[in-house]
Amino acid sequence: MGASIAGAIDDTFGLALSGEYYDRDAWYATSASDTTRPARLEEKRAANVAGTLSVKLAENQSLDIDASYNRDHRPRALFYYSYNPEWDWTTRDYREQQIERGTYGLTHKGDWGWGNTTAYITQENARIEDFNSRYNAPQERVLHEENTYAKAYANVNWGINAITAGIDLRRQVIKDAATYLESGRISTNSRALFVEDELALAPSLRLTLAGRLDDSNTFGSHFSPKSYLVWQGADGLTVKGGISRAFKAPEAYQLSREYRTVSCGGKCYLEGNPNLTPETSTNYEAGFEIHRPSWDFTAVVFKNDVKDMIVATYSEVGPSRAWANVAKAKTRGIELQGEVTLSPAFSVSANLTHLKADYIDETGREAKLDNRPENTAVATLNWKATDRLTTSLSAHYTGEQYYLTKDLPGYTRVDLSLAAKVNKQLTVRAGVKNLTDVDLEKKDRAFDFFELGRNYYVSATYSF
């Protein structure tokens, strides 16, 4: 259940407020009374409140003051069960988690004639109470996380140039005495300067040149350039393509030798690695779009060459997982998207992504990247029955993918939805998700995620 309200207080001040309460029961594939089967979807209670006070400082300046609070509680429940008949040994593991998160920030915008500027800073403080019977003592842990993010940039138009330039600042501090036994905490700091220039070379031709200089307290500086060309042709045709380089530093927890968390659906632990290095990539993209009165079509091919990609590698010894750099990784594929209006009442839309993703490890062995389906697709039939009633039937296909040690089969989920506008204020929505009741566990027990069984929903929105 949620509600929101927004509006002007007077000529200087405006206020927006929103709130939400969420209460979800656990969902079981069999029965809640079956003590050998953990819930597929855990019980959850959450509450969120947020507000923004907008202040008009002058005709050309504004200030937004934001604050929000979130509380998320997952009650203690079974999350892992196994039985070894050879030893007549049963293992049951339980977990519980409560997260409280407060965020506040300031955003200033100004229009100065020569251009406009935006500057904002956000501070997020989180307290995470985490119980897991898998942990070594203490099994009840409290973690504090502080994230600070600041960004300032300016936009200037100068001749054929549309220039954006600015700075990014980030700081993360994690305090967890039970995990980080030596210092009780871990932190990372990063800074970046960026500039982008969109050049109007001709009425139908634009070239974007950009660069970003990242600097961190752990890995020093790295420059990432980008170039992108867009040509606008006749009859709704657009051709585009570009090349860019990217830099991604490891997260603080990934770098800690003390970091250790339950993984593999409860079957193993995932550990940090202080020897991680940043991953860098060179990315290529080319494609075209066609927009016509009754249909649209887009096609894009892409290729990403990644050096030192950070992945969670798996070892059957233990078993165990750990963050590691893989020597080289490649992802390449094609994305297709289209929509056709069949009549005033019916339309069809679809998208397809074909992906190849593999890597070469430090020994020269080629392997597949985890959890990257070779094909994903969505097809939707929309029917506007009346001006007040619309329905849609969609099929979501997830193709074969590799996980840990094996290939997992593809599957298709079908959803049905309906929206009815009762009057100017009230809209009612209803539907059925997973209409064909797909059960991934029956397809392969190695899936580490699941699709909810056939489920139904009803919602209503009232505006005034």
Side-chain angles (χ1 to χ4, degrees):
M1 179 177 67
S4 63
I5 185 171
I9 300 174
D10 56 27
D11 292 340
T12 302
F13 296 97
L15 184 64
L17 298 172
S18 64
E20 180 185 30
Y21 178 73
Y22 186 89
D23 189 352
R24 181 185 72 198
D25 292 334
W27 185 85
Y28 296 87
T30 52
S31 168
S33 61
D34 186 348
T35 60
T36 67
R37 300 292 297 274
R40 288 286 188 88
L41 192 64
E42 61 193 346
E43 182 182 351
K44 174 182 175 179
R45 299 186 187 96
N48 306 284
V49 291
T52 299
L53 176 65
S54 299
V55 184
K56 184 179 179 181
L57 302 176
E59 289 300 321
N60 65 328
Q61 296 183 62
S62 66
L63 179 68
D64 287 347
I65 305 170
D66 303 297
S68 65
Y69 173 79
N70 166 262
R71 181 175 180 177
D72 186 321
H73 183 218
R74 317 289 174 100
R76 189 166 304 188
L78 179 73
F79 81 93
Y80 178 75
Y81 171 89
S82 70
Y83 174 69
N84 187 324
E86 183 178 351
W87 296 92
D88 190 25
W89 183 263
T90 299
T91 299
R92 286 184 172 89
D93 287 302
Y94 297 84
R95 66 183 173 194
E96 179 180 6
Q97 191 174 80
Q98 178 168 295
I99 302 174
E100 293 185 76
R101 193 182 309 274
T103 305
Y104 50 91
L106 296 171
T107 301
H108 178 271
K109 294 182 179 181
D111 188 343
W112 312 101
W114 52 263
N116 57 71
T117 59
T118 301
Y120 59 87
I121 182 168
T122 299
Q123 174 74 39
E124 179 188 75
N125 298 305
R127 173 187 169 91
I128 303 170
E129 299 179 11
D130 186 25
F131 168 84
N132 196 311
S133 59
R134 277 289 185 93
Y135 291 156
N136 296 326
Q139 294 179 328
E140 185 90 40
R141 303 182 177 184
V142 179
L143 179 150
H144 296 269
E145 183 174 335
E146 300 172 2
N147 295 293
T148 305
Y149 178 49
K151 185 175 184 178
Y153 59 93
N155 300 300
V156 180
N157 292 320
W158 179 42
I160 66 169
N161 304 274
I163 302 171
T164 300
I167 184 172
D168 270 334
L169 301 172
R170 298 174 186 264
R171 175 173 172 79
Q172 181 183 56
V173 179
I174 299 174
K175 301 175 183 178
D176 182 1
T179 298
Y180 306 110
L181 301 176
E182 297 176 9
S183 63
R185 57 186 282 166
I186 190 170
S187 64
T188 58
N189 297 290
S190 63
R191 302 155 290 278
L193 296 172
F194 60 90
V195 62
E196 179 179 293
D197 186 7
E198 183 180 292
L199 298 98
L201 303 179
S204 61
L205 186 64
R206 294 183 180 271
L207 172 65
T208 299
L209 300 174
R212 181 182 176 92
L213 179 64
D214 287 279
D215 181 73
S216 73
N217 61 328
T218 307
F219 300 105
S221 301
H222 186 90
F223 180 70
S224 303
K226 172 186 175 180
S227 62
Y228 207 84
L229 189 65
V230 178
W231 176 69
Q232 185 72 52
D235 299 323
L237 172 65
T238 301
V239 180
K240 56 186 179 180
I243 180 173
S244 63
R245 298 202 66 189
F247 166 88
K248 180 182 178 183
E251 298 289 346
Y253 67 89
Q254 294 175 319
L255 287 167
S256 174
R257 64 168 55 89
E258 300 170 290
Y259 177 80
R260 193 167 184 253
T261 190
V262 177
S263 185
C264 307
K267 301 181 181 71
C268 73
Y269 287 95
L270 174 61
E271 300 178 348
N273 180 0
N275 298 316
L276 288 177
T277 59
E279 67 178 45
T280 57
S281 63
T282 304
N283 312 294
Y284 309 87
E285 179 183 294
F288 67 90
E289 301 176 5
I290 301 177
H291 299 281
R292 304 305 296 273
S294 61
W295 59 274
D296 299 312
F297 182 74
T298 301
V300 177
V301 294
F302 60 89
K303 180 173 181 278
N304 305 310
D305 295 329
V306 187
K307 182 180 179 183
D308 296 324
M309 175 180 270
I310 301 170
V311 298
T313 58
Y314 176 76
S315 172
E316 294 185 72
V317 179
S320 65
R321 301 187 82 186
W323 294 109
N325 293 108
V326 297
K328 292 181 180 179
K330 292 183 178 180
T331 60
R332 60 273 189 205
I334 184 171
E335 296 176 347
L336 305 175
Q337 182 174 339
E339 184 172 0
V340 178
T341 300
L342 303 175
S343 71
F346 289 95
S347 66
V348 177
S349 62
N351 62 70
L352 166 70
T353 299
H354 176 71
L355 176 69
K356 291 288 187 180
D358 50 46
Y359 70 91
I360 299 174
D361 64 20
E362 62 279 359
T363 67
R365 182 179 63 92
E366 184 172 322
K368 297 178 181 179
L369 289 168
D370 279 354
N371 294 325
R372 286 168 170 82
E374 185 172 354
N375 294 290
T376 56
V378 179
T380 303
L381 173 64
N382 301 296
W383 176 34
K384 184 178 180 181
T386 70
D387 289 339
R388 292 177 176 267
L389 178 65
T390 59
T391 64
S392 68
L393 179 68
S394 59
H396 306 253
Y397 173 72
T398 301
E400 292 185 1
Q401 58 188 298
Y402 183 80
Y403 179 63
L404 297 183
T405 60
K406 63 184 300 185
D407 290 310
L408 301 178
Y411 66 94
T412 300
R413 189 192 81 236
V414 178
D415 299 336
L416 176 65
S417 66
L418 176 149
K421 191 170 182 60
V422 180
N423 53 43
K424 290 183 178 181
Q425 291 79 32
L426 180 63
T427 300
V428 177
R429 295 178 176 84
V432 184
K433 294 185 177 181
N434 198 358
L435 189 64
T436 53
D437 202 22
V438 172
D439 187 342
L440 297 187
E441 188 175 3
K442 291 181 179 179
K443 290 182 173 291
D444 198 306
R445 295 182 66 89
F447 275 104
D448 73 331
F449 59 92
F450 63 92
E451 294 283 353
L452 277 178
R454 185 185 299 113
N455 60 98
Y456 309 85
Y457 68 91
V458 176
S459 67
T461 302
Y462 187 83
S463 304
F464 58 93

